[in-house]
Amino acid sequence: MATLYGRPSPLACFMLDGIAKTIPSDAKAAQPPPAKTSTSGTGSKGSNVPTKDISRLKISSEKAQLLSSESESSKPTTPAGTPRKRINVVDEYSKNLKTREILNLVVVGHVDAGKSTLMGHLLYALGQVNERTIKRFERDAEKIGKGSFAYAWVLDETEEERARGVTMDIATNSFATAHRRFTLLDAPGHRDFVPNMISGASRADVAVLVVDASTGEFEAGFDGNGQTREHAILIRSLGVRQLVVAVNKLDMVDWSETRYDEIATRLLEFLTSCGYLKADVRFVPVSGLKGVNLVRRVTADEAPALAAWWLDSEKNDGGAAGSCLVDLIDTFSIPERPVDKPFRLAVTDFFKSGTAGSANSVSASGRIAQGNVQMGEQVVLVPGGERGTVRAIDVDFVSEEWAVAGDSVVLMIQGVDIQNFTIGSVVCGSLTIPIQAVFRFEAQLVIFDPPVPITNGFPALLHIQSLNVPAVLHKIIEVIDQRTGEVTKRRPRHIRKGATARVEITTETPVCLELFKNSKELGRVMLRKNGETIAAGIVTALYSK
């Protein structure tokens, strides 16, 4: 008989699409039982081993090995048999708060909006890429007839991406502004790669939405099946609240103030309808290719047509008149990090460590959802329950002794077979109750625009962080008024566009989930069908098999 692990209390609330909703419940919250240690059922997972190292982080195997080598050589040596002295990570984090505050920034938008070119040029202007590298990219891009793609190649590193001129996977980098440090996640804009975009956006705190201002291109991305709308909805559903809209390629329409106002007006109306607060959305005109208004404010000599109306403008609410892109992202607020909760790292990629002293070690990458971890700590992999020891920690490719919630890390874990890792596995602390791996759960969903009404038994693709697995919407429990939280209909035959419903979802393989009230990072789910996002929501109950 199935056992209910947890239900929210009648007062439990959540935020989705910017509206507070009350989750109805008729059961008290219950603590999940400790997971059993088991290594059974892992023999079929060999096909999940990646064919290239850290593919989602776009690091070559040589660079991955170099990072691991640096971790091994830079960490202090401890005599054999001497236990490593444990660090109070929460205290250390509090002491080093200013130097350890890192924001995860995802860049999204319709295909060909110029996202990679814009961010590649920004990285170059900030000194993250040297002149020699850019010159080489320019020469190589010219040889294949793509001379304007040189800056995009800073982030589009694979041969296929460069040949096609399309970002296909999440590219990562890092940079710093006057007051912030950022991990950059450049997401693909093509609709074929939305699952990869979701994987990157699930790790983000804040976002830059890039739109193409040239004639007809903004409309192509915003109207119909353009990705501007879908990306904005997806990142909001994944918990991103702060957004800067970069109105790119405005130089293609002679820096027209009228065109800028038209785009800003239409987008702001749409974004606020999706749940963004007006105060959290800001706009800035830029040219990614020319580098105008990226890291320094535009001047009359650089772009007189733009300077004439932007420098004294108060259009960019929340920023000083004439702000550039870096000015605005430098003012993103830092979200509260749950550093003192049980450790959770959702695995986005993994690879076999290939350095001396790393025998029987696997490196797992991802963003720490909550808690903290340190060198020498024992961890548990879920599903499976195998235990291992953390031998090295890289935070944004820099060797560290510890890491906390919000950090993008690569952990070298010794003692766990690589066959037991999968995308979507969760690394947990060994001294706390691990995350639950379940086949059945309840979720409260907001229905977007499915092609047909959703009924019991509706099949879809379930997205959780970087994981996507086939699932079935097994049962529609009730429809809820999203304004009041009151149940309007129990056991409906179907649910339509715009409805909010509590449903039961089943999967053929176990998925790692937390109740949303306990973990906002690991308590969000999304459903897609035939390349379209049809629903998103939060986990309200977990069941044993």
Side-chain angles (χ1 to χ4, degrees), residues 466-523:
S466 296
L467 175 69
N468 54 84
V469 295
V472 174
L473 200 152
H474 181 67
K475 180 169 62 178
I476 304 171
I477 300 171
E478 58 195 17
V479 175
I480 301 165
D481 186 322
Q482 68 175 10
R483 293 172 300 176
T484 64
E486 295 179 357
V487 176
T488 59
K489 191 172 185 180
R490 297 187 185 276
R491 296 181 181 179
R493 296 181 61 183
H494 62 266
I495 43 180
R496 295 180 178 273
K497 174 182 177 181
T500 298
R502 188 159 65 92
V503 302
E504 184 181 299
I505 297 173
T506 60
T507 60
E508 294 182 0
T509 56
V511 293
C512 296
L513 288 169
E514 295 270 20
L515 299 180
F516 180 80
K517 67 175 184 177
N518 296 333
S519 175
K520 290 180 172 58
E521 296 278 349
L522 299 170

Short mmCIF file of all heavy atoms in Angstrom, two decimals, residues 466-523:
data_model
loop_
_atom_site.label_atom_id
_atom_site.label_comp_id
_atom_site.label_asym_id
_atom_site.label_seq_id
_atom_site.Cartn_x
_atom_site.Cartn_y
_atom_site.Cartn_z
N SER A 466 17.95 19.19 -14.65
CA SER A 466 18.49 18.76 -15.94
C SER A 466 17.90 17.44 -16.42
O SER A 466 18.21 16.97 -17.51
CB SER A 466 20.01 18.61 -15.84
OG SER A 466 20.62 19.85 -15.59
N LEU A 467 17.07 16.84 -15.59
CA LEU A 467 16.48 15.54 -15.93
C LEU A 467 15.21 15.72 -16.72
O LEU A 467 14.39 16.59 -16.42
CB LEU A 467 16.18 14.78 -14.63
CG LEU A 467 15.46 13.44 -14.77
CD1 LEU A 467 16.36 12.41 -15.43
CD2 LEU A 467 14.99 12.95 -13.40
N ASN A 468 15.03 14.87 -17.76
CA ASN A 468 13.72 14.79 -18.42
C ASN A 468 13.40 13.32 -18.68
O ASN A 468 14.20 12.60 -19.26
CB ASN A 468 13.67 15.64 -19.70
CG ASN A 468 14.77 15.32 -20.67
OD1 ASN A 468 14.68 14.40 -21.47
ND2 ASN A 468 15.85 16.11 -20.62
N VAL A 469 12.24 12.90 -18.20
CA VAL A 469 11.83 11.50 -18.30
C VAL A 469 10.37 11.41 -18.71
O VAL A 469 9.58 12.32 -18.43
CB VAL A 469 12.03 10.76 -16.95
CG1 VAL A 469 13.49 10.68 -16.57
CG2 VAL A 469 11.23 11.44 -15.84
N PRO A 470 9.98 10.33 -19.37
CA PRO A 470 8.56 10.14 -19.70
C PRO A 470 7.73 10.00 -18.42
O PRO A 470 8.17 9.39 -17.45
CB PRO A 470 8.56 8.83 -20.51
CG PRO A 470 9.96 8.68 -21.01
CD PRO A 470 10.83 9.27 -19.95
N ALA A 471 6.55 10.58 -18.45
CA ALA A 471 5.67 10.53 -17.29
C ALA A 471 4.22 10.48 -17.75
O ALA A 471 3.91 10.74 -18.92
CB ALA A 471 5.89 11.75 -16.39
N VAL A 472 3.35 10.14 -16.83
CA VAL A 472 1.91 10.09 -17.12
C VAL A 472 1.18 10.90 -16.04
O VAL A 472 1.43 10.72 -14.85
CB VAL A 472 1.40 8.64 -17.12
CG1 VAL A 472 -0.12 8.62 -17.27
CG2 VAL A 472 2.05 7.85 -18.24
N LEU A 473 0.32 11.80 -16.50
CA LEU A 473 -0.55 12.51 -15.57
C LEU A 473 -1.66 11.52 -15.20
O LEU A 473 -2.66 11.42 -15.89
CB LEU A 473 -1.10 13.77 -16.22
CG LEU A 473 -1.62 14.85 -15.27
CD1 LEU A 473 -1.50 16.22 -15.90
CD2 LEU A 473 -3.06 14.56 -14.90
N HIS A 474 -1.39 10.78 -14.12
CA HIS A 474 -2.20 9.61 -13.79
C HIS A 474 -3.62 9.99 -13.38
O HIS A 474 -4.59 9.32 -13.76
CB HIS A 474 -1.52 8.84 -12.66
CG HIS A 474 -2.23 7.61 -12.23
ND1 HIS A 474 -2.37 6.50 -13.05
CD2 HIS A 474 -2.87 7.29 -11.06
CE1 HIS A 474 -3.04 5.57 -12.41
NE2 HIS A 474 -3.37 6.01 -11.21
N LYS A 475 -3.75 11.05 -12.59
CA LYS A 475 -5.08 11.39 -12.07
C LYS A 475 -5.19 12.88 -11.82
O LYS A 475 -4.29 13.50 -11.25
CB LYS A 475 -5.33 10.62 -10.76
CG LYS A 475 -6.68 10.88 -10.12
CD LYS A 475 -6.96 9.89 -9.00
CE LYS A 475 -5.97 9.98 -7.87
NZ LYS A 475 -6.27 9.07 -6.76
N ILE A 476 -6.28 13.47 -12.25
CA ILE A 476 -6.59 14.87 -11.93
C ILE A 476 -7.39 14.86 -10.64
O ILE A 476 -8.52 14.34 -10.59
CB ILE A 476 -7.39 15.54 -13.06
CG1 ILE A 476 -6.64 15.43 -14.39
CG2 ILE A 476 -7.65 17.00 -12.71
CD1 ILE A 476 -7.46 15.88 -15.58
N ILE A 477 -6.84 15.42 -9.59
CA ILE A 477 -7.46 15.36 -8.27
C ILE A 477 -8.51 16.46 -8.10
O ILE A 477 -9.64 16.19 -7.70
CB ILE A 477 -6.40 15.46 -7.17
CG1 ILE A 477 -5.41 14.29 -7.31
CG2 ILE A 477 -7.04 15.48 -5.78
CD1 ILE A 477 -4.20 14.40 -6.41
N GLU A 478 -8.11 17.69 -8.43
CA GLU A 478 -9.05 18.81 -8.26
C GLU A 478 -8.55 20.03 -9.01
O GLU A 478 -7.36 20.16 -9.31
CB GLU A 478 -9.21 19.14 -6.76
CG GLU A 478 -7.91 19.50 -6.08
CD GLU A 478 -8.00 19.46 -4.56
OE1 GLU A 478 -8.96 18.86 -4.05
OE2 GLU A 478 -7.11 20.02 -3.90
N VAL A 479 -9.48 20.92 -9.32
CA VAL A 479 -9.17 22.21 -9.93
C VAL A 479 -9.28 23.27 -8.85
O VAL A 479 -10.19 23.24 -8.02
CB VAL A 479 -10.12 22.53 -11.11
CG1 VAL A 479 -9.86 23.93 -11.65
CG2 VAL A 479 -9.94 21.49 -12.21
N ILE A 480 -8.34 24.23 -8.87
CA ILE A 480 -8.23 25.22 -7.80
C ILE A 480 -8.34 26.62 -8.38
O ILE A 480 -7.80 26.91 -9.46
CB ILE A 480 -6.88 25.05 -7.07
CG1 ILE A 480 -6.77 23.64 -6.48
CG2 ILE A 480 -6.69 26.10 -5.99
CD1 ILE A 480 -5.36 23.27 -6.06
N ASP A 481 -9.00 27.50 -7.66
CA ASP A 481 -9.03 28.92 -8.02
C ASP A 481 -7.68 29.52 -7.62
O ASP A 481 -7.35 29.57 -6.43
CB ASP A 481 -10.17 29.63 -7.28
CG ASP A 481 -10.34 31.08 -7.72
OD1 ASP A 481 -9.32 31.75 -7.96
OD2 ASP A 481 -11.49 31.53 -7.80
N GLN A 482 -6.90 29.97 -8.60
CA GLN A 482 -5.54 30.42 -8.28
C GLN A 482 -5.53 31.74 -7.50
O GLN A 482 -4.52 32.07 -6.89
CB GLN A 482 -4.71 30.56 -9.55
CG GLN A 482 -5.13 31.67 -10.48
CD GLN A 482 -4.15 31.79 -11.66
OE1 GLN A 482 -3.31 30.95 -11.86
NE2 GLN A 482 -4.30 32.85 -12.43
N ARG A 483 -6.61 32.45 -7.48
CA ARG A 483 -6.67 33.69 -6.70
C ARG A 483 -6.93 33.44 -5.23
O ARG A 483 -6.35 34.08 -4.36
CB ARG A 483 -7.75 34.62 -7.27
CG ARG A 483 -7.45 35.15 -8.67
CD ARG A 483 -8.65 35.87 -9.23
NE ARG A 483 -9.83 34.98 -9.32
CZ ARG A 483 -11.03 35.38 -9.70
NH1 ARG A 483 -11.24 36.64 -10.01
NH2 ARG A 483 -12.02 34.51 -9.76
N THR A 484 -7.82 32.49 -4.93
CA THR A 484 -8.20 32.25 -3.53
C THR A 484 -7.64 30.96 -2.97
O THR A 484 -7.58 30.78 -1.75
CB THR A 484 -9.74 32.19 -3.43
OG1 THR A 484 -10.22 31.05 -4.18
CG2 THR A 484 -10.37 33.46 -3.98
N GLY A 485 -7.25 30.03 -3.84
CA GLY A 485 -6.77 28.74 -3.38
C GLY A 485 -7.88 27.76 -3.05
O GLY A 485 -7.61 26.64 -2.61
N GLU A 486 -9.12 28.15 -3.29
CA GLU A 486 -10.25 27.27 -2.98
C GLU A 486 -10.47 26.25 -4.10
O GLU A 486 -10.24 26.54 -5.27
CB GLU A 486 -11.52 28.09 -2.80
CG GLU A 486 -11.48 29.03 -1.59
CD GLU A 486 -12.76 29.84 -1.45
OE1 GLU A 486 -13.64 29.70 -2.34
OE2 GLU A 486 -12.88 30.60 -0.48
N VAL A 487 -10.90 25.07 -3.71
CA VAL A 487 -11.19 24.01 -4.68
C VAL A 487 -12.50 24.35 -5.39
O VAL A 487 -13.54 24.57 -4.74
CB VAL A 487 -11.29 22.64 -3.99
CG1 VAL A 487 -11.70 21.57 -5.00
CG2 VAL A 487 -9.97 22.29 -3.33
N THR A 488 -12.47 24.38 -6.72
CA THR A 488 -13.69 24.70 -7.50
C THR A 488 -14.34 23.45 -8.08
O THR A 488 -15.53 23.46 -8.37
CB THR A 488 -13.35 25.67 -8.63
OG1 THR A 488 -12.36 25.08 -9.49
CG2 THR A 488 -12.82 26.98 -8.08
N LYS A 489 -13.55 22.38 -8.25
CA LYS A 489 -14.12 21.15 -8.80
C LYS A 489 -13.23 19.98 -8.43
O LYS A 489 -12.01 20.05 -8.59
CB LYS A 489 -14.25 21.25 -10.33
CG LYS A 489 -15.08 20.14 -10.94
CD LYS A 489 -15.33 20.40 -12.42
CE LYS A 489 -16.27 19.36 -13.01
NZ LYS A 489 -16.53 19.62 -14.45
N ARG A 490 -13.85 18.89 -7.95
CA ARG A 490 -13.10 17.70 -7.60
C ARG A 490 -13.25 16.64 -8.69
O ARG A 490 -14.32 16.49 -9.28
CB ARG A 490 -13.56 17.14 -6.26
CG ARG A 490 -13.33 18.10 -5.08
CD ARG A 490 -13.63 17.43 -3.75
NE ARG A 490 -13.52 18.39 -2.65
CZ ARG A 490 -12.38 18.71 -2.06
NH1 ARG A 490 -11.24 18.14 -2.46
NH2 ARG A 490 -12.36 19.57 -1.06
N ARG A 491 -12.15 15.93 -8.95
CA ARG A 491 -12.09 14.87 -9.95
C ARG A 491 -12.71 15.29 -11.29
O ARG A 491 -13.63 14.64 -11.81
CB ARG A 491 -12.80 13.62 -9.43
CG ARG A 491 -12.12 13.03 -8.21
CD ARG A 491 -12.83 11.79 -7.73
NE ARG A 491 -12.18 11.23 -6.55
CZ ARG A 491 -12.60 10.16 -5.89
NH1 ARG A 491 -13.70 9.53 -6.31
NH2 ARG A 491 -11.95 9.71 -4.84
N PRO A 492 -12.24 16.39 -11.87
CA PRO A 492 -12.77 16.80 -13.18
C PRO A 492 -12.34 15.82 -14.26
O PRO A 492 -11.33 15.11 -14.12
CB PRO A 492 -12.13 18.17 -13.38
CG PRO A 492 -10.85 18.09 -12.62
CD PRO A 492 -11.14 17.26 -11.40
N ARG A 493 -13.05 15.79 -15.35
CA ARG A 493 -12.73 14.88 -16.45
C ARG A 493 -11.52 15.39 -17.23
O ARG A 493 -10.79 14.60 -17.83
CB ARG A 493 -13.94 14.73 -17.38
CG ARG A 493 -15.13 14.07 -16.69
CD ARG A 493 -16.30 13.94 -17.66
NE ARG A 493 -15.93 13.10 -18.81
CZ ARG A 493 -16.76 12.87 -19.84
NH1 ARG A 493 -17.97 13.42 -19.85
NH2 ARG A 493 -16.37 12.10 -20.84
N HIS A 494 -11.34 16.73 -17.25
CA HIS A 494 -10.21 17.29 -17.99
C HIS A 494 -9.88 18.67 -17.43
O HIS A 494 -10.66 19.26 -16.67
CB HIS A 494 -10.53 17.38 -19.48
CG HIS A 494 -11.68 18.29 -19.79
ND1 HIS A 494 -12.98 17.84 -19.93
CD2 HIS A 494 -11.74 19.64 -19.98
CE1 HIS A 494 -13.78 18.85 -20.18
NE2 HIS A 494 -13.05 19.96 -20.22
N ILE A 495 -8.71 19.18 -17.80
CA ILE A 495 -8.32 20.55 -17.43
C ILE A 495 -7.84 21.27 -18.70
O ILE A 495 -7.20 20.68 -19.56
CB ILE A 495 -7.21 20.56 -16.35
CG1 ILE A 495 -6.13 19.51 -16.62
CG2 ILE A 495 -7.80 20.38 -14.98
CD1 ILE A 495 -5.02 19.48 -15.60
N ARG A 496 -8.17 22.56 -18.77
CA ARG A 496 -7.89 23.34 -19.97
C ARG A 496 -6.88 24.45 -19.71
O ARG A 496 -6.41 24.63 -18.57
CB ARG A 496 -9.19 23.94 -20.52
CG ARG A 496 -10.18 22.92 -21.02
CD ARG A 496 -11.45 23.59 -21.54
NE ARG A 496 -12.41 22.63 -22.08
CZ ARG A 496 -12.39 22.19 -23.33
NH1 ARG A 496 -11.47 22.63 -24.19
NH2 ARG A 496 -13.31 21.34 -23.75
N LYS A 497 -6.61 25.19 -20.74
CA LYS A 497 -5.68 26.31 -20.69
C LYS A 497 -6.03 27.29 -19.57
O LYS A 497 -7.18 27.65 -19.38
CB LYS A 497 -5.71 27.04 -22.04
CG LYS A 497 -4.90 28.33 -22.09
CD LYS A 497 -5.03 29.00 -23.44
CE LYS A 497 -4.28 30.32 -23.48
NZ LYS A 497 -4.41 31.00 -24.79
N GLY A 498 -5.00 27.69 -18.82
CA GLY A 498 -5.17 28.69 -17.78
C GLY A 498 -5.62 28.15 -16.44
O GLY A 498 -5.65 28.90 -15.44
N ALA A 499 -5.95 26.86 -16.36
CA ALA A 499 -6.44 26.29 -15.10
C ALA A 499 -5.28 26.00 -14.15
O ALA A 499 -4.13 25.85 -14.55
CB ALA A 499 -7.22 25.02 -15.38
N THR A 500 -5.62 25.95 -12.86
CA THR A 500 -4.67 25.50 -11.84
C THR A 500 -5.27 24.24 -11.23
O THR A 500 -6.42 24.24 -10.79
CB THR A 500 -4.47 26.57 -10.76
OG1 THR A 500 -3.93 27.74 -11.35
CG2 THR A 500 -3.53 26.07 -9.67
N ALA A 501 -4.48 23.17 -11.21
CA ALA A 501 -5.02 21.89 -10.76
C ALA A 501 -4.01 21.12 -9.94
O ALA A 501 -2.80 21.25 -10.13
CB ALA A 501 -5.46 21.05 -11.97
N ARG A 502 -4.52 20.30 -9.03
CA ARG A 502 -3.68 19.37 -8.29
C ARG A 502 -3.83 18.01 -8.95
O ARG A 502 -4.94 17.52 -9.13
CB ARG A 502 -4.09 19.33 -6.82
CG ARG A 502 -3.12 18.54 -5.94
CD ARG A 502 -3.25 18.94 -4.48
NE ARG A 502 -4.55 18.59 -3.92
CZ ARG A 502 -4.82 17.45 -3.29
NH1 ARG A 502 -3.87 16.54 -3.14
NH2 ARG A 502 -6.02 17.24 -2.79
N VAL A 503 -2.69 17.41 -9.30
CA VAL A 503 -2.70 16.18 -10.07
C VAL A 503 -1.73 15.17 -9.46
O VAL A 503 -0.86 15.52 -8.67
CB VAL A 503 -2.31 16.44 -11.54
CG1 VAL A 503 -3.24 17.46 -12.18
CG2 VAL A 503 -0.86 16.90 -11.64
N GLU A 504 -1.91 13.93 -9.88
CA GLU A 504 -0.98 12.86 -9.50
C GLU A 504 -0.21 12.45 -10.75
O GLU A 504 -0.81 12.18 -11.79
CB GLU A 504 -1.74 11.67 -8.92
CG GLU A 504 -0.84 10.55 -8.42
CD GLU A 504 -1.64 9.39 -7.87
OE1 GLU A 504 -2.39 9.60 -6.90
OE2 GLU A 504 -1.52 8.28 -8.42
N ILE A 505 1.12 12.40 -10.64
CA ILE A 505 1.99 12.08 -11.77
C ILE A 505 2.79 10.83 -11.44
O ILE A 505 3.29 10.68 -10.31
CB ILE A 505 2.94 13.26 -12.08
CG1 ILE A 505 2.13 14.49 -12.50
CG2 ILE A 505 3.94 12.90 -13.18
CD1 ILE A 505 2.94 15.75 -12.67
N THR A 506 2.93 9.94 -12.42
CA THR A 506 3.73 8.73 -12.25
C THR A 506 4.83 8.66 -13.30
O THR A 506 4.69 9.20 -14.40
CB THR A 506 2.86 7.46 -12.35
OG1 THR A 506 2.24 7.42 -13.64
CG2 THR A 506 1.79 7.45 -11.28
N THR A 507 5.92 8.00 -12.94
CA THR A 507 7.05 7.80 -13.86
C THR A 507 7.46 6.34 -13.83
O THR A 507 7.21 5.62 -12.86
CB THR A 507 8.26 8.67 -13.47
OG1 THR A 507 8.69 8.30 -12.14
CG2 THR A 507 7.90 10.15 -13.48
N GLU A 508 8.13 5.89 -14.90
CA GLU A 508 8.61 4.51 -14.95
C GLU A 508 9.93 4.35 -14.20
O GLU A 508 10.26 3.26 -13.74
CB GLU A 508 8.77 4.07 -16.41
CG GLU A 508 7.47 3.98 -17.17
CD GLU A 508 7.67 3.49 -18.59
OE1 GLU A 508 8.85 3.23 -18.95
OE2 GLU A 508 6.69 3.36 -19.33
N THR A 509 10.69 5.42 -14.10
CA THR A 509 11.96 5.39 -13.39
C THR A 509 11.88 6.35 -12.20
O THR A 509 11.14 7.33 -12.25
CB THR A 509 13.13 5.81 -14.31
OG1 THR A 509 12.84 7.11 -14.86
CG2 THR A 509 13.30 4.82 -15.44
N PRO A 510 12.64 6.10 -11.14
CA PRO A 510 12.55 6.98 -9.97
C PRO A 510 13.12 8.36 -10.25
O PRO A 510 14.11 8.50 -10.97
CB PRO A 510 13.39 6.23 -8.92
CG PRO A 510 14.34 5.39 -9.70
CD PRO A 510 13.60 4.98 -10.93
N VAL A 511 12.47 9.38 -9.68
CA VAL A 511 12.94 10.76 -9.82
C VAL A 511 13.14 11.35 -8.42
O VAL A 511 12.39 11.05 -7.50
CB VAL A 511 11.95 11.61 -10.63
CG1 VAL A 511 11.90 11.15 -12.07
CG2 VAL A 511 10.54 11.58 -10.02
N CYS A 512 14.19 12.16 -8.28
CA CYS A 512 14.52 12.75 -6.99
C CYS A 512 13.79 14.08 -6.82
O CYS A 512 13.99 15.00 -7.63
CB CYS A 512 16.03 12.97 -6.88
SG CYS A 512 16.99 11.44 -6.90
N LEU A 513 12.97 14.15 -5.78
CA LEU A 513 12.16 15.34 -5.56
C LEU A 513 12.09 15.68 -4.08
O LEU A 513 12.23 14.82 -3.21
CB LEU A 513 10.73 15.12 -6.08
CG LEU A 513 10.52 15.08 -7.59
CD1 LEU A 513 9.12 14.59 -7.91
CD2 LEU A 513 10.75 16.45 -8.21
N GLU A 514 11.86 16.96 -3.81
CA GLU A 514 11.54 17.45 -2.47
C GLU A 514 10.19 18.15 -2.53
O GLU A 514 9.76 18.59 -3.59
CB GLU A 514 12.60 18.46 -2.00
CG GLU A 514 13.99 17.89 -1.82
CD GLU A 514 14.22 17.37 -0.42
OE1 GLU A 514 13.23 17.10 0.28
OE2 GLU A 514 15.40 17.22 -0.04
N LEU A 515 9.52 18.24 -1.40
CA LEU A 515 8.33 19.08 -1.33
C LEU A 515 8.75 20.52 -1.56
O LEU A 515 9.79 20.96 -1.05
CB LEU A 515 7.64 18.94 0.02
CG LEU A 515 7.13 17.55 0.40
CD1 LEU A 515 6.47 17.61 1.77
CD2 LEU A 515 6.16 17.02 -0.64
N PHE A 516 7.95 21.27 -2.28
CA PHE A 516 8.28 22.65 -2.57
C PHE A 516 8.45 23.48 -1.30
O PHE A 516 9.31 24.36 -1.23
CB PHE A 516 7.21 23.28 -3.46
CG PHE A 516 7.47 24.72 -3.82
CD1 PHE A 516 8.35 25.04 -4.83
CD2 PHE A 516 6.83 25.74 -3.14
CE1 PHE A 516 8.59 26.37 -5.16
CE2 PHE A 516 7.06 27.07 -3.45
CZ PHE A 516 7.95 27.38 -4.47
N LYS A 517 7.66 23.17 -0.30
CA LYS A 517 7.74 23.94 0.95
C LYS A 517 9.08 23.73 1.65
O LYS A 517 9.51 24.56 2.44
CB LYS A 517 6.59 23.57 1.89
CG LYS A 517 6.66 22.15 2.42
CD LYS A 517 5.55 21.90 3.43
CE LYS A 517 5.67 20.50 4.05
NZ LYS A 517 4.65 20.26 5.07
N ASN A 518 9.76 22.60 1.33
CA ASN A 518 11.07 22.32 1.92
C ASN A 518 12.23 22.74 1.04
O ASN A 518 13.32 23.04 1.54
CB ASN A 518 11.19 20.82 2.23
CG ASN A 518 10.19 20.36 3.27
OD1 ASN A 518 9.76 21.15 4.11
ND2 ASN A 518 9.81 19.09 3.21
N SER A 519 12.03 22.74 -0.27
CA SER A 519 13.10 23.11 -1.20
C SER A 519 12.50 23.67 -2.48
O SER A 519 11.92 22.94 -3.29
CB SER A 519 13.97 21.89 -1.54
OG SER A 519 14.92 22.21 -2.53
N LYS A 520 12.65 24.97 -2.66
CA LYS A 520 12.13 25.59 -3.89
C LYS A 520 12.91 25.14 -5.10
O LYS A 520 12.39 25.13 -6.22
CB LYS A 520 12.18 27.12 -3.74
CG LYS A 520 11.18 27.67 -2.75
CD LYS A 520 11.25 29.17 -2.64
CE LYS A 520 10.11 29.72 -1.79
NZ LYS A 520 10.09 29.16 -0.44
N GLU A 521 14.19 24.80 -4.92
CA GLU A 521 15.03 24.37 -6.05
C GLU A 521 14.61 22.99 -6.56
O GLU A 521 14.54 22.77 -7.77
CB GLU A 521 16.50 24.30 -5.60
CG GLU A 521 17.09 25.64 -5.19
CD GLU A 521 17.56 26.44 -6.37
OE1 GLU A 521 17.61 25.87 -7.48
OE2 GLU A 521 17.87 27.63 -6.19
N LEU A 522 14.34 22.07 -5.65
CA LEU A 522 14.09 20.68 -6.03
C LEU A 522 12.62 20.31 -5.94
O LEU A 522 12.27 19.14 -6.06
CB LEU A 522 14.92 19.75 -5.14
CG LEU A 522 16.44 19.94 -5.25
CD1 LEU A 522 17.16 19.17 -4.16
CD2 LEU A 522 16.93 19.54 -6.62
N GLY A 523 11.77 21.31 -5.76
CA GLY A 523 10.34 21.06 -5.66
C GLY A 523 9.55 21.63 -6.82
O GLY A 523 8.33 21.78 -6.73
#
